[in-house]
Amino acid sequence: LTYPLYIVTLLIHSSMVFPCLILLIFKLSGEKINARLIAIVVALFGFQQITQSLVTNFSNISVFSQIESMYESYFINGDQFTNLYGGKVLIMELAKLALYIFVILMVKKNIHTQLSKTLSFLVLLIFSTLLVLPSSIVSLRFVLLVQFVGSIIVLEYLNGKRTRGILLAEASMII
């Protein structure tokens, strides 16, 4: 049932291609983060304009040229988004990402094996979002997805803590 739901999300909005692509790459990598996965993500998202242009030029498939034109009009030429994601909003969204990076550092040793895949996906999602951020400020919209995925880990972590003192002591050790 979950796989048809992933496909349906692509029909909701074109921006859902990014999270679905990250999920597909994560699933194909065996749900583990390794050097090969990082190299693929950097090639796809760090140099996404170059990768996209190469794929479009060397293939005769019309879907790729349509995706390229959507990408250019939505992400690159989307100057109207600077007023939505600039200034204080940019600082707030980057602070949210920093919070979840902090959460990852806190829970990485104490995570249950059941949630380790979720934690790995969260790391991949944050890394990919930071990679596409310089090319398009509208990519900050994916911080909400980071919050949704990260909330599972935060709630599980806080559920395992008995007192606030232990939680504050761990937070102070990381800071």
Side-chain angles (χ1 to χ4, degrees), residues 110-121 149 152-157:
N110 301 328
I111 197 75
H112 302 281
T113 55
Q114 190 176 23
L115 283 179
S116 64
K117 291 179 183 180
T118 307
L119 184 68
S120 296
F121 180 71
V149 174
I152 298 167
I153 294 168
V154 170
L155 292 174
E156 183 67 28
Y157 178 74

Side-chain angles (χ1 to χ4, degrees), residues 22 28 33 48 66 79 90 95 98 109 120 125 137 150:
I22 292 171
L28 291 175
I33 293 183
Q48 102 187 30
Q66 290 175 353
D79 291 337
L90 176 65
K109 293 179 185 175
S120 296
L125 183 62
I137 197 164

